[in-house]
Coordinates of all heavy atoms in Angstrom, one line a residue:
M1 N 82.4 98.2 130.6 CA 81.0 98.5 130.4 C 80.3 97.5 129.6 O 80.9 96.9 128.7 CB 80.7 99.8 129.9 CG 79.3 100.3 130.0 SD 79.1 102.0 129.4 CE 78.0 102.6 130.7
C2 N 79.1 97.2 129.9 CA 78.3 96.2 129.1 C 78.2 96.5 127.7 O 78.1 97.6 127.3 CB 77.0 96.1 129.7 SG 75.9 94.8 128.9
G3 N 78.2 95.4 126.7 CA 78.0 95.6 125.3 C 76.6 96.3 125.1 O 76.5 97.2 124.2
G4 N 75.7 95.8 125.8 CA 74.4 96.5 125.7 C 73.4 96.3 124.6 O 72.5 97.0 124.4
D5 N 73.6 95.1 123.9 CA 72.6 94.8 122.9 C 71.6 93.7 123.3 O 70.8 93.2 122.5 CB 73.3 94.4 121.6 CG 74.1 93.2 121.8 OD1 74.3 92.8 122.9 OD2 74.6 92.6 120.7
A6 N 71.7 93.3 124.6 CA 70.8 92.3 125.1 C 69.5 92.9 125.4 O 69.3 94.1 125.5 CB 71.4 91.6 126.3
E7 N 68.5 92.0 125.6 CA 67.1 92.5 125.9 C 66.9 92.7 127.5 O 65.9 93.4 127.8 CB 66.0 91.6 125.4 CG 66.1 91.5 123.9 CD 65.0 90.6 123.3 OE1 64.4 89.8 124.2 OE2 64.8 90.4 122.2
D8 N 67.7 92.2 128.2 CA 67.4 92.1 129.7 C 68.4 93.1 130.4 O 68.9 92.9 131.4 CB 67.6 90.8 130.2 CG 69.0 90.1 130.0 OD1 69.7 90.8 129.2 OD2 69.3 89.1 130.6
L9 N 68.5 94.2 129.9 CA 69.4 95.3 130.5 C 68.8 95.8 131.8 O 67.5 96.1 131.8 CB 69.7 96.4 129.5 CG 70.5 96.0 128.3 CD1 70.7 97.2 127.3 CD2 71.8 95.4 128.6
E10 N 69.6 96.2 132.7 CA 69.1 96.7 134.0 C 70.1 97.9 134.3 O 71.3 97.8 134.1 CB 69.0 95.7 135.2 CG 67.8 94.9 135.1 CD 67.6 94.1 136.4 OE1 68.4 94.5 137.4 OE2 66.7 93.3 136.5
D11 N 69.5 98.9 135.0 CA 70.4 100.0 135.4 C 71.0 99.5 136.8 O 70.4 99.1 137.7 CB 69.5 101.3 135.7 CG 69.1 101.8 134.5 OD1 69.7 101.6 133.5 OD2 68.0 102.5 134.5
V12 N 72.4 99.6 136.8 CA 73.2 99.2 138.0 C 74.2 100.2 138.3 O 74.5 101.1 137.6 CB 73.8 97.9 137.8 CG1 72.8 96.8 137.3 CG2 74.9 97.9 136.7
N13 N 74.7 100.1 139.6 CA 75.9 100.9 140.1 C 77.0 99.8 140.2 O 76.9 98.9 141.0 CB 75.7 101.6 141.3 CG 74.6 102.6 141.2 OD1 73.6 102.6 142.0 ND2 74.9 103.6 140.5
R14 N 78.0 100.0 139.4 CA 79.1 99.0 139.6 C 79.8 99.1 140.8 O 79.9 100.2 141.4 CB 80.2 99.3 138.5 CG 81.3 98.3 138.4 CD 82.4 98.8 137.5 NE 81.9 98.8 136.1 CZ 82.5 98.0 135.2 NH1 83.4 97.2 135.4 NH2 82.0 98.0 134.0
V15 N 80.2 98.0 141.5 CA 80.9 98.0 142.8 C 82.3 97.4 142.6 O 82.5 96.3 142.1 CB 80.2 97.1 143.8 CG1 80.9 97.1 145.1 CG2 78.7 97.6 144.0
Y16 N 83.3 98.3 142.8 CA 84.7 97.8 142.8 C 85.1 97.3 144.2 O 84.8 97.9 145.2 CB 85.6 99.0 142.4 CG 85.5 99.4 141.0 CD1 84.8 100.6 140.6 CD2 86.0 98.6 139.9 CE1 84.7 100.9 139.3 CE2 85.8 99.0 138.7 CZ 85.2 100.2 138.3 OH 85.0 100.5 137.0
L17 N 85.8 96.1 144.2 CA 86.1 95.5 145.4 C 87.5 95.8 145.8 O 87.9 95.6 147.1 CB 85.9 94.0 145.3 CG 84.6 93.5 145.0 CD1 84.5 91.9 144.9 CD2 83.5 94.0 146.1
L18 N 88.4 96.3 145.0 CA 89.7 96.6 145.3 C 90.1 98.1 144.9 O 89.6 98.5 143.9 CB 90.6 95.7 144.6 CG 90.6 94.2 145.0 CD1 91.5 93.4 144.1 CD2 91.0 94.0 146.5
P19 N 90.8 98.8 145.7 CA 91.5 98.3 147.0 C 90.6 98.1 148.1 O 90.9 97.4 149.1 CB 92.6 99.4 147.3 CG 92.0 100.6 146.7 CD 91.3 100.1 145.4
E20 N 89.4 98.7 148.0 CA 88.4 98.5 149.0 C 87.1 98.7 148.4 O 86.9 99.3 147.3 CB 88.6 99.5 150.3 CG 88.4 101.0 149.9 CD 88.8 101.9 150.9 OE1 89.6 101.5 151.8 OE2 88.3 103.0 150.9
P21 N 86.0 98.1 148.9 CA 84.7 98.2 148.4 C 84.3 99.7 148.1 O 84.4 100.5 148.9 CB 83.8 97.5 149.4 CG 84.6 96.6 150.1 CD 86.0 97.3 150.1
Q22 N 83.9 99.9 146.9 CA 83.5 101.2 146.5 C 82.4 101.2 145.4 O 82.5 100.6 144.3 CB 84.7 102.0 145.9 CG 84.5 103.5 145.4 CD 85.7 104.1 144.9 OE1 86.6 103.4 144.7 NE2 85.6 105.4 144.5
Q23 N 81.3 101.8 145.8 CA 80.1 101.8 144.8 C 80.2 103.1 144.1 O 80.2 104.1 144.7 CB 78.8 101.6 145.6 CG 77.7 101.5 144.6 CD 76.3 101.3 145.4 OE1 76.3 100.7 146.4 NE2 75.3 101.8 144.8
L24 N 80.1 103.0 142.7 CA 80.0 104.2 142.0 C 78.7 104.8 141.9 O 77.7 104.1 141.9 CB 80.6 103.9 140.5 CG 82.1 103.3 140.5 CD1 82.5 103.3 139.0 CD2 83.0 104.1 141.4
D25 N 78.7 106.1 141.7 CA 77.3 106.8 141.5 C 76.9 106.7 140.1 O 75.7 107.0 139.7 CB 77.4 108.2 141.9 CG 77.6 108.4 143.5 OD1 77.2 107.5 144.2 OD2 78.2 109.4 143.9
D26 N 77.8 106.4 139.2 CA 77.4 106.4 137.8 C 76.6 105.1 137.5 O 76.9 104.0 137.8 CB 78.6 106.3 136.9 CG 79.6 107.5 137.0 OD1 79.0 108.6 137.4 OD2 80.8 107.4 136.7
V27 N 75.4 105.4 136.9 CA 74.5 104.3 136.5 C 74.9 103.8 135.1 O 75.1 104.4 134.2 CB 73.1 104.8 136.4 CG1 72.2 103.7 135.9 CG2 72.7 105.3 137.9
E28 N 75.0 102.4 135.1 CA 75.3 101.7 133.8 C 74.2 100.8 133.6 O 73.5 100.3 134.5 CB 76.7 100.9 134.0 CG 77.8 101.9 134.4 CD 79.2 101.1 134.5 OE1 79.2 99.9 134.0 OE2 80.2 101.7 135.1
R29 N 74.1 100.4 132.3 CA 73.1 99.3 132.0 C 73.8 98.1 131.5 O 74.6 98.0 130.6 CB 72.3 99.9 130.7 CG 71.3 100.9 131.1 CD 70.5 101.4 130.0 NE 69.3 100.5 129.7 CZ 68.3 100.6 130.4 NH1 68.1 101.4 131.4 NH2 67.3 99.8 130.2
W30 N 73.5 97.1 132.4 CA 74.2 95.8 132.3 C 73.1 94.6 131.9 O 72.0 94.7 132.4 CB 74.9 95.3 133.6 CG 76.1 96.1 133.9 CD1 76.6 97.2 133.3 CD2 76.9 95.8 135.0 NE1 77.7 97.6 133.9 CE2 78.0 96.8 135.0 CE3 76.9 94.9 136.1 CZ2 79.0 96.9 135.9 CZ3 78.0 94.9 136.9 CH2 79.0 95.9 136.9
C31 N 73.6 93.7 131.1 CA 72.7 92.6 130.8 C 72.8 91.5 131.8 O 73.7 91.7 132.8 CB 73.1 92.0 129.4 SG 74.8 91.3 129.4
F32 N 72.0 90.5 131.8 CA 72.0 89.4 132.7 C 73.5 88.9 132.9 O 73.8 88.5 134.0 CB 71.0 88.4 132.4 CG 71.0 87.2 133.4 CD1 70.4 87.3 134.6 CD2 71.7 86.1 133.1 CE1 70.3 86.3 135.4 CE2 71.7 85.0 134.0 CZ 71.0 85.2 135.2
S33 N 74.1 88.6 131.8 CA 75.4 88.0 131.8 C 76.4 88.8 132.8 O 77.1 88.3 133.6 CB 76.0 87.8 130.5 OG 77.3 87.3 130.5
C34 N 76.4 90.2 132.5 CA 77.3 91.0 133.3 C 76.9 91.0 134.7 O 77.7 91.0 135.6 CB 77.3 92.5 132.7 SG 78.1 92.5 131.0
R35 N 75.6 91.1 135.0 CA 75.1 91.2 136.3 C 75.4 89.9 137.1 O 75.5 89.9 138.3 CB 73.5 91.4 136.3 CG 73.2 92.8 135.7 CD 71.8 93.2 136.1 NE 70.8 92.3 136.0 CZ 70.0 92.0 134.8 NH1 70.3 92.7 133.7 NH2 69.2 91.0 134.7
S36 N 75.5 88.7 136.4 CA 75.8 87.6 137.1 C 77.3 87.4 137.3 O 77.7 86.6 138.1 CB 75.3 86.3 136.2 OG 76.0 86.3 135.0
Q37 N 78.1 88.1 136.6 CA 79.5 88.0 136.8 C 80.3 89.0 137.6 O 81.4 88.8 138.2 CB 80.3 88.0 135.4 CG 79.9 86.8 134.4 CD 80.6 86.9 133.1 OE1 81.8 87.1 133.0 NE2 79.9 86.8 132.0
Y38 N 79.7 90.2 137.6 CA 80.5 91.3 138.2 C 79.6 92.0 139.4 O 78.4 92.0 139.3 CB 80.7 92.5 137.3 CG 81.5 91.9 136.0 CD1 80.9 91.8 134.8 CD2 82.9 91.6 136.1 CE1 81.6 91.3 133.7 CE2 83.5 91.1 135.1 CZ 82.9 91.0 133.8 OH 83.6 90.5 132.7
P39 N 80.3 92.3 140.5 CA 79.7 92.9 141.6 C 79.0 94.3 141.3 O 79.6 95.1 140.6 CB 80.8 93.1 142.7 CG 82.0 93.1 141.8 CD 81.8 92.3 140.7
H40 N 77.8 94.4 141.8 CA 77.1 95.7 141.5 C 76.0 95.8 142.5 O 75.6 94.9 143.1 CB 76.6 95.7 140.0 CG 75.5 94.6 139.8 ND1 75.9 93.3 139.6 CD2 74.2 94.7 139.7 CE1 74.7 92.6 139.5 NE2 73.7 93.4 139.6
E41 N 75.4 97.0 142.5 CA 74.0 97.1 143.2 C 73.1 97.7 142.3 O 73.3 98.4 141.4 CB 74.3 98.1 144.3 CG 75.3 97.7 145.5 CD 74.6 96.5 146.2 OE1 73.4 96.4 146.2 OE2 75.4 95.8 146.9
P42 N 71.8 97.3 142.5 CA 70.8 97.9 141.5 C 70.7 99.5 141.7 O 70.9 100.0 142.8 CB 69.4 97.3 142.2 CG 70.0 96.1 142.8 CD 71.3 96.4 143.4
A43 N 70.6 100.1 140.6 CA 70.6 101.5 140.6 C 69.3 102.0 141.3 O 68.3 101.4 141.1 CB 70.7 102.1 139.2
A44 N 69.5 103.1 142.1 CA 68.2 103.6 142.6 C 67.3 104.3 141.5 O 67.8 104.9 140.6 CB 68.7 104.8 143.6
P45 N 66.0 104.1 141.7 CA 65.1 104.7 140.7 C 65.3 106.2 140.5 O 65.6 106.9 141.5 CB 63.8 104.4 141.2 CG 64.0 103.2 142.2 CD 65.4 103.4 142.7
A46 N 65.3 106.7 139.4 CA 65.5 108.2 139.2 C 64.4 108.9 139.8 O 63.3 108.6 139.9 CB 65.5 108.4 137.7
Ligands
ZN101 ZN1 76.6 92.7 129.5

């Protein structure tokens, strides 16, 4: 999970690629660095 002290956090759903693509329902807050490095989808608005 993201360290979370950056200013550009966004709500996302992490996407795991192995063993097969799987999008989690849990919303996490990721900074730009994490969003650029790890697969994810934007979280649906509450
Ligand atoms: Zn981060």
Side-chain angles (χ1 to χ4, degrees):
M1 189 173 223
C2 181
D5 61 350
E7 294 182 353
D8 59 349
L9 297 176
E10 281 191 8
D11 292 335
V12 305
N13 297 118
R14 181 188 296 241
V15 177
Y16 287 106
L17 299 181
L18 296 176
E20 60 188 25
Q22 178 180 9
Q23 180 177 333
L24 302 188
D25 291 331
D26 297 337
V27 176
E28 303 180 15
R29 290 183 77 79
W30 287 9
C31 67
F32 177 83
S33 177
C34 292
R35 299 198 309 273
S36 66
Q37 291 183 53
Y38 305 107
H40 66 281
E41 295 289 341

